[in-house]
C-alpha cells in the first residue's frame, strides 16, 4: 500500500542519479524562493499581516510549545491518514485553506486553477475563495473528482450573495465556508505604505464580474467599464453577519455550512445550536486582527466545546506536516495549509503546489510512523502537551 512518506524515497532514489528536487522541501526555503520570485506588491500582500504582525508570527511559533510523546513497539509499517467530511471520504486531514489572491500568485494569473489542479493530483481538497481570478464553476471543474469547499465573503447585496451561493451549490462544491471576520479589512501596514489593494485594481473579482445578479447592478458590463464595476464591488462587499443571519444563510443552500473564524468555545456552542454544520477555528492567519492569541492555543477549548457534534476545521500558522499532526492531536478534524502552498504556486504552478502538499503529507506520515501512531485516532489519543 503506497504511503505518503514514499515521497521521501522517491527524492532519495532520484538523488542517486544526481537529480535533486526542483523546489525546496522545507518551509524556509520555499518562502525565500517565493519572496524573491514575486513582485513587491504580490509579496507584501501575501506575506503581510495586521499591525506589527505579532499575531501572525505567534500563530506559527506557538506550535513549538506543544509537544507529543512517542510510543514504541507499535507496528506502524502501514499508516492510515484517512478521514471523512460530510459523508465524503478523504485520504488525509489536510486541505488547502482559502486564500483570496491565489489568482495572482502564479505568473499567468490563474493560480486558482493551478491550486485546483494540484488538488486533483494529490487528493487534497481545495477551499476556493470568493475572491478569485477564475469563475467558481471553472475552478470546481479543475478539481476533478476530489471534494472541494467554497468560501463565501458575504455581499451586502443579499441577491448577489444568494446568487453566488446558488452557483457554488450548482457547481458541486461539498460545503459552504462562511468567513466571519472580513466584512472590513484589518489594518495592514505593508499594503497601506504602498497604497496596494489588489481588488481595487481589478484583481480576483471574476466571481463577481461573471455573476448575472452582480452584472445587473452595473450600467455597463465590467468589460466595457471596469472602473465602475470595481466601484460597485467595493460598495457592496462585506456584510456584517450576526447570529440572526444564520437562519438566512441556511435558507440559501442545502450545502453544509461551516462558520470560519470561531475562536471562543461559547461561539462554537452557539453556532451549532443555530444550525451550523461545521466549526472552523481560525484567526485569519493574523491578517485581520492583531493582539490575539495563537489559533493553535485556542483550538483545544473550542474542540472540547464542539464535543464531536460537527467537524472542526483549523488553520492559521500551519507550516509543516508536524504542525498538521499537532493540530489533529489538539482536536482538529481537518487542517488547512495556507501560505506554503501559495509559495508552491509561485514557483511551479500546479506542479509546485502539488510538491508542497506532498512534502507536508510525507512529513506528517513519517512522523506518525516513527512516533508509533498508525492512525489519526492514535494521534488524538496521544494528544499534545504544553511544553
Amino acid at each position: 500500500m503506497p504511503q505518503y512518506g514514499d515521497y521521501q524515497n522517491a527524492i532519495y532514489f532520484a538523488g542517486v542519479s544526481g537529480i535533486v528536487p526542483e523546489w525546496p522541501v522545507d518551509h524556509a526555503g520555499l518562502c525565500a524562493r517565493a519572496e524573491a520570485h514575486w513582485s513587491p506588491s504580490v509579496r507584501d500582500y501575501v506575506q503581510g499581516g495586521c499591525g506589527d504582525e505579532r499575531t501572525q508570527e505567534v500563530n506559527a511559533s506557538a506550535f513549538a510549545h506543544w509537544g507529543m510523546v512517542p510510543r514504541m513497539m507499535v507496528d506502524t509499517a502501514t499508516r492510515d491518514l484517512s478521514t471523512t467530511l460530510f459523508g465524503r471520504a478523504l485520504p488525509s486531514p489536510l486541505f488547502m485553506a482559502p486564500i483570496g489572491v491565489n489568482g495572482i500568485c502564479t505568473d499567468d494569473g490563474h493560480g486558482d486553477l493551478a491550486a485546483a489542479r494540484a488538488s486533483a493530483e494529490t487528493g487534497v481538497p481545495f477551499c476556493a475563495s470568493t475572491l478569485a481570478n477564475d469563475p467558481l464553476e471553472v475552478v470546481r471543474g479543475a478539481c476533478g473528482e476530489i471534494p472541494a469547499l467554497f468560501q463565501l465573503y458575504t455581499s451586502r447585496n443579499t441577491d448577489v450573495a444568494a446568487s453566488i451561493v446558488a452557483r457554488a451549490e450548482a457547481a458541486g462544491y461539498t460545503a459552504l465556508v462562511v468567513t466571519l471576520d472580513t466584512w472590513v479589512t484589518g489594518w495592514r501596514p505593508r499594503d497601506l505604505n504602498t497604497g496596494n489593494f489588489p481588488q481595487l485594481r481589478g484583481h480576483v473579482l471574476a466571481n463577481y464580474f461573471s455573476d448575472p445578479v452582480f452584472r445587473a447592478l452595473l450600467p455597463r458590463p465590467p468589460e466595457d467599464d471596469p472602473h465602475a464595476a470595481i466601484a460597485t464591488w467595493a460598495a457592496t462587499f462585506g456584510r456584517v453577519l450576526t447570529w440572526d443571519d444564520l437562519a438566512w444563510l441556511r435558507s440559501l443552500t442545502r450545502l453544509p455550512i461551516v462558520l470560519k473564524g470561531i475562536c471562543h468555545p461559547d461561539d462554537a456552542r452557539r453556532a451549532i445550536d443555530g444550525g451550523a454544520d461545521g466549526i472552523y477555528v481560525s484567526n485569519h492567519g493574523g491578517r485581520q486582527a492583531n493582539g490575539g492569541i495563537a489559533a493553535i492555543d485556542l483550538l483545544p477549548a473550542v474542540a472540547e466545546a464542539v464535543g464531536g457534534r460537527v467537524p472542526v476545521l483549523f488553520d492559521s500558522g500551519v507550516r509543516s506536516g508536524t504542525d498538521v499532526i499537532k493540530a489533529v492531536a489538539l482536536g482538529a478534524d481537518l487542517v488547512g495549509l495556507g501560505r506554503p502552498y501559495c509559495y508552491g504556486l509561485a514557483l511551479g504552478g500546479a506542479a509546485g503546489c502539488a510538491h508542497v502538499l506532498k512534502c507536508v503529507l510525507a512529513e506528517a506520515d513519517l512522523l506518525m510512523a516513527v512516533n508509533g501512531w498508525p492512525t489519526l485516532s492514535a494521534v488524538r489519543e496521544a494528544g499534545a502537551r504544553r511544553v
Side-chain angles (χ1 to χ4, degrees):
M1 176 181 176
Q3 304 273 227
Y4 289 119
D6 293 344
Y7 194 52
Q8 171 176 265
N9 297 335
I11 292 173
Y12 281 142
F13 278 110
V16 173
S17 301
I19 302 170
V20 298
E22 183 174 359
W23 308 292
V25 303
D26 63 298
H27 175 264
L30 283 165
C31 179
R33 285 269 299 272
E35 287 188 334
H37 179 87
W38 277 324
S39 67
S41 61
V42 174
R43 179 199 65 209
D44 288 346
Y45 193 85
V46 173
Q47 298 293 69
C50 202
D52 66 0
E53 302 185 353
R54 176 63 176 163
T55 299
Q56 179 171 282
E57 294 165 4
V58 300
N59 270 334
S61 63
F63 280 90
H65 61 234
W66 290 98
M68 300 181 70
V69 179
R71 302 301 300 269
M72 296 296 104
M73 305 295 285
V74 178
D75 184 359
T76 56
T78 301
R79 284 84 57 201
D80 181 4
L81 277 71
S82 65
T83 186
T84 60
L85 179 68
F86 302 128
R88 299 291 300 269
L90 300 177
S92 85
L94 184 67
F95 73 99
M96 282 184 273
I99 295 177
V101 288
N102 279 333
I104 62 173
C105 284
T106 55
D107 293 344
D108 66 0
H110 294 285
D112 308 289
L113 289 178
R117 293 182 184 120
S119 172
E121 178 180 344
T122 62
V124 176
F126 177 44
C127 187
S129 175
T130 304
L131 296 172
N133 266 357
D134 289 282
L136 61 91
E137 294 86 356
V138 180
V139 173
R140 177 64 192 94
C143 293
E145 299 300 314
I146 307 304
L149 312 176
F150 182 76
Q151 175 270 335
L152 178 70
Y153 284 124
T154 312
S155 174
R156 279 181 265 176
N157 184 299
T158 56
D159 292 335
V160 171
S163 179
I164 290 176
V165 170
R167 289 171 58 196
E169 183 170 336
Y173 286 89
T174 298
L176 185 69
V177 175
V178 182
T179 295
L180 304 175
D181 66 355
T182 316
W183 58 271
V184 67
T185 303
W187 184 258
R188 302 176 188 171
R190 290 203 209 191
D191 299 321
L192 290 164
N193 283 333
T194 58
N196 175 50
F197 193 68
Q199 292 87 323
L200 295 182
R201 299 169 188 237
H203 298 299
V204 300
L205 299 181
N207 281 323
Y208 297 93
F209 291 178
S210 64
D211 190 82
V213 177
F214 181 85
R215 291 174 71 93
L217 301 176
L218 307 175
R220 290 193 293 167
E223 300 81 10
D224 297 338
D225 191 349
H227 295 296
I230 292 167
T232 301
W233 171 82
T236 56
F237 179 81
R239 177 185 175 117
V240 181
L241 294 171
T242 70
W243 294 113
D244 293 336
D245 291 310
L246 193 49
W248 168 68
L249 288 167
R250 178 74 283 164
S251 74
L252 299 181
T253 182
R254 293 169 295 176
L255 291 176
I257 293 176
V258 179
L259 296 185
K260 179 177 182 286
I262 300 293
C263 292
H264 195 291
D266 290 346
D267 286 349
R269 296 184 189 97
R270 188 165 185 179
I272 296 170
D273 291 344
D277 302 292
I279 299 298
Y280 194 146
V281 180
S282 170
N283 61 18
H284 215 111
R287 286 176 60 76
Q288 275 298 90
N290 201 28
I293 298 169
I296 192 65
D297 293 343
L298 299 171
L299 172 61
V302 174
E304 182 179 5
V306 171
R309 290 178 288 168
V310 299
V312 175
L313 287 69
F314 171 84
D315 76 20
S316 297
V318 176
R319 299 290 183 263
S320 67
T322 298
D323 292 345
V324 171
I325 296 304
K326 287 182 179 181
V328 170
L330 291 169
D333 295 297
L334 264 70
V335 182
L337 186 72
R339 286 183 179 91
Y341 84 77
C342 283
Y343 303 154
L345 290 175
L347 299 177
C353 181
H355 166 76
V356 172
L357 299 174
K358 291 174 183 178
C359 288
V360 171
L361 286 168
E363 181 182 348
D365 181 38
L366 292 168
L367 179 69
M368 290 173 62
V370 300
N371 275 5
W373 310 317
T375 64
L376 297 181
S377 294
V379 170
R380 295 189 179 98
E381 183 179 353
R385 301 180 186 178
R386 190 70 180 251
V387 294

